[in-house]
Amino acid sequence: MSIRLAIHGGKPTVVYNGPHLIWPEITPKLEQAVIGQLHKAISIYDRSGIYEEFEEKFSHYHHVRYALGTSSGTAALYSIFVGAGLKEGDEIICPSYTFFATISPIFFTGAVPVLCEVQEDGNIDPNSIEKLLTPKTKAIIVTHMWGIPCEMDRITKIAKKHHLFLFEDCSHAHGATYKGKLVGTFGDAAAWSLQGQKNVTAGEGGIMLTRNKDIYYRAMLLGHFNKRCMKEINKNNKLYKFAVTGMGLKLRMHPLGAAIANEQFDYLDEWLKTKRKIAQRFDKAFSTMPGVRPAIKPAKSNPAWYAYVLRYIPEELGGLSIEGFFSALQVEGCIMLDRPNSTCPLNHHYLFKCPEKLFPSYKGKIKYKVGDFPVAEKFHKHSLKLPVWHDERYTELAEQYIEAFRKVTSYYVSTSKRL
Ligand SMILES: Cc1ncc(COP(=O)(O)O)c(C=O)c1O
């Protein structure tokens, strides 16, 4: 039987009736949480009320003592860098493939981000980290890309051996584990974005965790001046005298955002269960389909599946371009299929090619160019991103997406054989 693709006038495969994803879901409980908070407080000066409730919950879940809510994930990352005292003359080893905000706040510290090649799974490559170490290296930051944990055994070992700070960007990886341990608990500090699309969201917001009191105090001074610092920084600590003014920024989370995240967080484990079942379906289907490869994850890891990123192999479909493959799938009805764009190898962004145009002190220190990170660049060029739904009611939709892939790949295998 011949296959007629939707792009050639055939019937689309995906016939799901309804939106392909509603996120976040505005449940009656979420509405109550927000309205309740609206009447309680919309500005909180110290660590009380909804801040305390959410930060305590987050810190207990991870068994890490200090939590600090922030206005964004970017602000949480900046708080970590300032908290750890990074400064001009320091180097920090960073993944070359991550969302740029993992790294861009470093430019405000004067330290130099040193980009590192990634592995086939898109995560930072431990072998390449070791090659980049210099006497100036002060820290390593990793991102658990798309929710897949990095090789934390090896990375933790390198950080310990060389007495480096280890930071984790867990913005895609709420609740992910590596060898039974939650991401965000391996290093000196970790940050999570709670922006609208994330697995736990505040609409806009972020949170950081650390066991290190100095990092916590300095992070607090950066963005939470006056009452919170006055109440929490020990009066005998040398930083206490800055408690009123802090360092000059204000990076607090909005209490309504905290109420949303606090309510959402209770469902994280339940959502992860469903996401993992759907990811298993994808794994099974894509491991036997020509033209694509399933997501790669380290042994004994349990990703958070912020997204499912599969790799396209054009040679197996007669050299069909990724653009052609993507369009065929979109017309089959896979409207949530995406090709990550701004999340790309950092050497493709102007900020990493010529940061001195914005930050003059970086003149001559950073000059990346396209082609510097071939593994990251290949990963990016060939990646296709699928949503991993959090609710069983989307299972049928996930199956239809798989069916669309099956139809399109079968068609191009058969046409390439005929050529
Ligand atoms: C990996 C990663 N890090 C950091 C951020 C920044 O978070 P935010 O948008 O909350 O500032 C994002 C946001 O998309 C992200 O994906």
Side-chain angles (χ1 to χ4, degrees):
M1 197 182 73
S2 72
I3 305 162
R4 190 146 188 239
L5 297 184
I7 203 166
H8 299 149
K11 264 184 137 169
T13 317
V14 181
V15 290
Y16 188 80
N17 197 6
H20 287 200
L21 179 65
I22 297 174
W23 185 258
E25 293 199 41
I26 312 299
T27 61
K29 275 189 85 185
L30 187 66
E31 283 177 354
Q32 270 172 24
V34 173
I35 290 169
Q37 187 57 43
L38 191 60
H39 290 288
K40 269 190 214 142
I42 54 165
S43 176
I44 302 172
Y45 301 146
D46 56 8
R47 186 178 183 266
S48 64
I50 193 67
Y51 289 166
E52 184 176 18
E53 193 177 333
F54 178 53
E55 287 179 7
E56 283 289 308
K57 201 183 269 184
F58 205 80
S59 119
H60 279 146
Y61 181 88
H62 293 90
H63 299 284
V64 175
R65 172 139 185 217
Y66 300 109
L68 186 66
T70 51
S71 51
S72 66
T74 310
L77 287 151
Y78 184 36
S79 306
I80 288 176
F81 300 139
V82 171
L86 290 185
K87 58 182 188 322
E88 203 170 334
D90 293 341
E91 290 177 356
I92 168 162
I93 296 179
C94 311
S96 52
Y97 178 67
T98 179
F99 184 65
F100 52 83
T102 309
I103 316 300
S104 44
I106 296 174
F107 287 110
F108 290 88
T109 68
V112 172
V114 176
L115 303 185
C116 180
E117 185 59 286
V118 301
Q119 312 181 129
E120 233 199 326
D121 63 1
N123 278 336
I124 194 165
D125 176 15
N127 288 329
S128 304
I129 294 178
E130 294 226 80
K131 292 181 198 146
L132 296 172
L133 298 173
T134 74
K136 291 182 179 175
T137 311
K138 287 284 165 355
I140 302 168
I141 182 159
V142 305
T143 305
H144 306 289
M145 279 307 285
W146 306 117
I148 294 190
C150 295
E151 295 281 1
M152 293 316 290
D153 271 356
R154 295 183 57 203
I155 296 167
T156 314
K157 232 184 234 165
I158 298 170
K160 281 207 173 113
K161 182 173 161 199
H162 298 279
H163 309 287
L164 304 173
F165 282 122
L166 175 58
F167 308 134
E168 294 171 81
D169 181 349
C170 308
S171 296
H172 294 178
H174 310 65
T177 60
Y178 174 84
K179 299 196 174 169
K181 194 168 150 65
L182 282 163
V183 303
T185 65
F186 287 88
D188 297 281
W192 286 255
S193 166
L194 302 171
Q195 175 272 339
Q197 295 177 10
K198 300 302 183 304
N199 284 358
V200 173
T201 177
E204 291 290 350
I207 190 160
M208 60 160 278
L209 283 181
T210 181
R211 297 185 184 90
N212 180 318
K213 192 157 69 172
D214 287 337
I215 294 182
Y216 177 61
Y217 278 5
R218 288 174 55 85
M220 215 171 9
L221 281 174
L222 177 70
H224 306 256
F225 54 72
N226 211 352
K227 289 227 167 61
R228 180 162 182 165
C229 290
M230 298 276 286
K231 283 190 182 169
E232 289 195 58
I233 298 179
N234 191 305
K235 290 198 171 54
N236 300 321
N237 190 290
K238 61 182 187 313
L239 294 174
Y240 182 77
K241 47 182 174 298
F242 298 102
V244 173
T245 59
M247 294 187 197
L249 296 183
K250 189 172 169 196
L251 304 174
R252 289 204 301 247
M253 191 189 294
H254 196 292
L256 295 181
I260 296 172
N262 185 54
E263 164 64 20
Q264 283 236 320
F265 193 59
D266 292 342
Y267 297 93
L268 175 63
D269 287 334
E270 196 180 313
W271 291 335
L272 285 176
K273 258 192 218 155
T274 309
K275 277 173 166 282
R276 285 167 182 157
K277 277 194 214 159
I278 289 189
Q280 263 177 7
R281 285 174 186 260
F282 285 158
D283 279 346
K284 194 163 165 231
F286 297 136
S287 60
T288 55
M289 225 179 257
V292 290
R293 295 287 181 279
I296 306 170
K297 52 185 189 293
K300 297 188 187 157
S301 70
N302 223 348
W305 299 117
Y306 173 52
Y308 190 99
V309 174
L310 45 91
R311 289 148 309 129
Y312 177 56
I313 317 286
E315 310 84 74
E316 294 181 1
L317 297 187
L320 174 72
S321 69
I322 190 163
E323 291 80 8
F325 187 56
F326 179 72
S327 302
L329 285 159
Q330 285 249 314
V331 183
E332 283 306 323
C334 300
I335 52 172
M336 297 294 295
L337 181 71
D338 187 24
R339 293 186 64 206
N341 191 12
S342 58
T343 303
C344 66
L346 300 181
N347 53 316
H348 289 211
H349 288 298
Y350 274 112
L351 185 62
F352 296 87
K353 290 177 179 170
C354 45
E356 67 276 10
K357 299 270 194 291
L358 294 177
F359 298 97
S361 70
Y362 282 84
K363 195 166 178 9
K365 292 182 184 168
I366 294 175
K367 237 178 180 42
Y368 290 107
K369 58 185 186 318
V370 172
D372 283 344
F373 299 99
V375 184
E377 293 173 80
K378 185 172 175 207
F379 182 90
H380 173 64
K381 195 168 158 203
H382 293 106
S383 55
L384 290 164
K385 182 174 144 239
L386 281 167
V388 187
W389 291 274
H390 62 290
D391 190 294
E392 301 271 357
R393 74 176 192 273
Y394 292 108
T395 306
E396 185 198 330
L397 179 62
E399 284 303 325
Q400 291 184 10
Y401 270 56
I402 292 171
E403 224 20 72
F405 269 82
R406 203 165 275 134
K407 179 178 168 190
V408 172
T409 54
S410 305
Y411 173 82
Y412 285 105
V413 165
S414 63
T415 54
S416 65
K417 275 187 192 145
R418 266 188 261 131
L419 292 175

